[in-house]
Amino acid sequence: MHRQRPQRSGRRRAVVLAAVGALLAGGLAATPTAMAAEPNLITNPGFEDGLSGWTVNSGNATDGAALSPTGDAYSGAGAVLVTNRKTTGSGPAQDLAGKVQAGKTYTVTARVKYENPESPATKQFFATMHYGGSTYTNLGTGTVPRGQWGLLQGTFTIPAGQGVTTPRLFVETPWTADPASAPATHLMDFKVDDVALREFTPSTTIEVLGKNPGEGNPLISHKFGADGNAFAHGGRVYVYMTNDTQVYNPGPDGTSPTNTYGGINTITVISSDDLVNWTDHGEIPVAGPNGLAKYASQSWAPAVESRVVDGKEQFFLYFANNGAATGVLVGDSPLGPWRDERGSLLITGQTPGASDGRNWLFDPGVFIDDDGQGYLYFGGGGNDNSNSYENTNHPKSTRVIKLGADMISTEGAAETIDAPLMFEAGHVFKRDNKYYYSYSSNFGFGGPIDPNGPPTGAIAYLVADSPMGPWTPDKYAGVIFKNPGNYFGAGGNNHQSVFELDGEHYFTYHAQTLNRRITGGATQGFRSPHIAKLEFNPDGTVKEVIGTFDGAEQIRHLDPYRVIEAETIAWQQGLATKRLNAPNDVPQLALHDVDNGDWTSLSSADFGTGATGVSARVKPLTDGTSVQVRLDDRTGPVVATIPVDGPTGEWTEVGTELGGVTGVHDVYFTFVGPEGRDLLEVDSWQFAKPSLKVEGAADTQCAGPNVKLTVHVTNDESATVDFVVETPYGTKSFDDVEAGKTRFHPFMTRQSAVAAGTAEVTAKAVVDGHEVSTALSVPYDARTCR
């Protein structure tokens, strides 16, 4: 995340200001990028053992102060009070000999409070290192309001050549030439608590608010994902993406080096059934030494389709092995498990018609027509460095080839696609018996650009009557989406897909919006998935998509009464996800790296007539943790608090009662616990709805040669209840069954034998002004009568 450097103290002694951490104002700060799990190098950091490990700083002969324990603590039972200060550098100090090393990076935090009414309304404090002699370094800083606990914080690297035989950390106020002339300003008493010094460990957890509540884009804000390919199946859409997070490596200043894509060999998957609440399914290990296709080195720009092969539906994941080739994996579901059935790359330079020696063989796009025939679209690049008009506007660098019935082989030779200003990202969808081939246009290959074609870096498209085209320049139909730089202030490559869900078409693309929010405006090539509704003109042409943060409208409410994976997120801040099972199993994930103040949410949960409770499956990591539940706003009133009171380090179910929550609401979960600690992991959420206290029973008997099924229902409620009993042999309603009463009905099956089965009972009543319904499945035994 973006941080400013702390200001110089103005000390006359030689001061090396090496801090790279955040400048904090008003005692508030962003969370550091270091992982809180690293051990604290400070002895007695919270002064719970009195002054053990602490002394008064004595870097100069004039330094001096008195330290005494105090019960006025930021946390816990103890802190230190500093009084009778002789210099601005007179503060609590601790020897770090043998604990820190030259060349390593560390984070430092501390809590400070001062109360003198004659002192300034705010005061800057420093956490400073004295390496010996005249070498001092301000490590972290914070501007603290009088009468409040403020936070000092910083990230710093000890220079490789710095001697660290006598390092000492201390807390001070800014140096001034004559502090005694204004002691209330420069030598005020102050208190210190919760000092922490930890080795910096790079973390990919994104602490900034990357997606504002109410926004639909980017789809996720806790990780990156590029080249999104959407695959609709079973009422859900799955988006498969190049895993940009794999090479995201922020340094101490929160900024990562530029994305070079070379280290990406996994595929990220998310899914949704409503287009706003997205479930993170983690990463597929595709290529590299730990991947399924060990003969491949990278996995970029995936594409997925399904087909019944040998009587069983199979799922096919195509991926780019950098620009050199395309491979394919096979799975048993949209989430795997995946396997390598082919044992080699699918598209290479030896594939008939695939290569002209210049074009890339990547960016697969897969399409299956209504007759079951599969097609693979691939390729890109094609710059021959001639700077010619023809090469720039017609590089002829992409291809289409038929797939075999097994979807992991090809048939015949690839055919050339001549799309104007072609670059990459070929993708086909079908609508009203027309085939739409969309692609990303190039940024110019040195020659003049045809003004009648697409602009550079845009998603353009052709329309034809066959999956094979022919895809020629006369089929050019226009632009679907200009480069994302036109809308979000950061350009870059462009990549898209189109899918249909519930009878509507949608368009996916990527943009560096999350990257910009992390850095405050700069980008390093880390891309995030976006979505927009795709609409058409009466003549079948596509209405141009405008890039916005709005995204797509939520197409259905979320059911809060089912088990909801905690990695299903509408909006969040500060969280990450982790896999709980083996890399290639059907994924099971949980929220982790959960700190105090982090939060997550669900959009448009429909509670109907009312919820009675909320529960979660969690692994507590720190005592004193709880989860606050809020409605409609992340700062709204707390409607329930879930105590996380299970055994530390063990998965457990926790929950609490919840009353008065009816109708449709956004739900926010805010995590509360000790600062600087990993609080818990969360596997799932579930809300409880009211249920009626009713019972059912059923029996089968012989009535002559046929079986008679009798169903009994009992009202154990205090209110009257209506019952509806449904069986394969008829339906019966009982209205206004009074409390404590039982009703029954015999169903004549007119069959001499019936198999075991269930009678379905629906009970409804009005309880406390709310309509409540409960469903029961009442079993009965098989019976044969002769």
Side-chain angles (χ1 to χ4, degrees), residues 443-533:
F443 290 88
F445 287 167
I449 295 174
D450 185 350
N452 297 314
T456 59
I459 302 300
Y461 72 107
L462 315 181
V463 181
D465 295 321
S466 164
M468 300 293 287
W471 300 109
T472 51
D474 58 297
K475 304 296 196 305
Y476 175 68
V479 170
I480 298 178
F481 180 68
K482 293 186 177 72
N483 192 269
N486 288 278
Y487 313 110
F488 301 111
N493 61 5
N494 214 349
H495 201 111
Q496 81 300 340
S497 76
V498 175
F499 69 95
E500 185 177 357
L501 188 66
D502 288 2
E504 300 287 351
H505 286 81
Y506 297 90
F507 177 80
T508 69
Y509 60 98
H510 66 222
Q512 296 184 67
T513 49
L514 178 59
N515 194 172
R516 290 196 74 206
R517 284 176 170 171
I518 291 170
T519 63
T523 56
Q524 294 81 42
F526 296 97
R527 302 155 295 177
S528 295
H530 291 62
I531 194 172
K533 191 172 183 180

Side-chain angles (χ1 to χ4, degrees), residues 257-323:
T258 299
N259 184 1
T260 62
Y261 318 122
I264 301 175
N265 56 27
T266 60
I267 296 296
T268 296
V269 189
I270 61 175
S271 76
S272 178
D273 65 355
D274 61 31
L275 306 184
V276 174
N277 295 292
W278 291 90
T279 301
D280 181 3
H281 300 292
E283 282 66 48
I284 303 169
V286 177
N290 298 316
L292 297 165
K294 292 179 172 56
Y295 46 80
S297 55
Q298 279 90 41
S299 57
W300 305 343
V304 170
E305 254 297 356
S306 68
R307 179 177 175 165
V308 175
V309 177
D310 296 330
K312 180 181 178 181
E313 185 176 25
Q314 300 284 282
F315 299 82
F316 302 91
L317 169 64
Y318 302 87
F319 64 92
N321 180 37
N322 55 66

Side-chain angles (χ1 to χ4, degrees), residues 561-575:
Y561 299 119
R562 62 176 175 84
V563 176
I564 303 166
E565 296 298 326
E567 62 274 15
T568 299
I569 300 169
W571 312 283
Q572 64 83 40
Q573 185 171 5
L575 301 173

Side-chain angles (χ1 to χ4, degrees), residues 204 222-225 242-249 264 268 526:
T204 58
H222 66 289
K223 59 171 60 174
F224 300 101
T242 305
N243 180 19
D244 278 11
T245 305
Q246 191 171 359
V247 291
Y248 176 63
N249 186 30
I264 301 175
T268 296
F526 296 97

Side-chain angles (χ1 to χ4, degrees), residues 47 60 121 288 363 417 460 486 499-500:
F47 301 91
N60 290 328
D363 281 11
I417 295 172
N486 288 278
F499 69 95
E500 185 177 357

Side-chain angles (χ1 to χ4, degrees), residues 306-487:
S306 68
R307 179 177 175 165
V308 175
V309 177
D310 296 330
K312 180 181 178 181
E313 185 176 25
Q314 300 284 282
F315 299 82
F316 302 91
L317 169 64
Y318 302 87
F319 64 92
N321 180 37
N322 55 66
T326 289
V328 59
L329 299 178
V330 183
D332 294 325
S333 79
L335 300 177
W338 301 95
R339 58 190 178 275
D340 174 29
E341 289 192 356
R342 180 178 170 84
S344 63
L345 292 163
L346 175 63
I347 301 294
T348 68
Q350 286 67 53
T351 303
S355 176
D356 62 7
R358 299 189 314 272
N359 64 319
W360 302 324
L361 304 179
F362 73 164
D363 281 11
V366 61
F367 171 75
I368 299 178
D369 207 358
D370 298 337
D371 61 2
Q373 176 62 56
Y375 301 85
L376 191 71
Y377 304 81
F378 63 91
N383 187 3
D384 65 4
N385 297 311
S386 67
N387 296 330
S388 69
Y389 171 92
E390 183 65 20
N391 181 240
T392 297
N393 294 284
H394 301 284
K396 301 177 183 178
S397 58
T398 54
R399 306 286 187 268
V400 54
I401 195 168
K402 287 185 177 181
L403 290 167
D406 60 4
M407 298 290 286
I408 62 172
S409 62
T410 60
E411 294 181 354
E415 296 188 10
T416 299
I417 295 172
D418 184 7
L421 210 65
M422 163 56 72
F423 189 54
E424 59 185 357
H427 172 81
V428 165
F429 68 94
K430 185 177 183 180
R431 178 181 180 271
D432 291 346
N433 293 317
K434 292 290 185 181
Y435 300 84
Y436 294 72
Y437 175 81
S438 62
Y439 63 97
S440 177
S441 62
N442 69 56
F443 290 88
F445 287 167
I449 295 174
D450 185 350
N452 297 314
T456 59
I459 302 300
Y461 72 107
L462 315 181
V463 181
D465 295 321
S466 164
M468 300 293 287
W471 300 109
T472 51
D474 58 297
K475 304 296 196 305
Y476 175 68
V479 170
I480 298 178
F481 180 68
K482 293 186 177 72
N483 192 269
N486 288 278
Y487 313 110

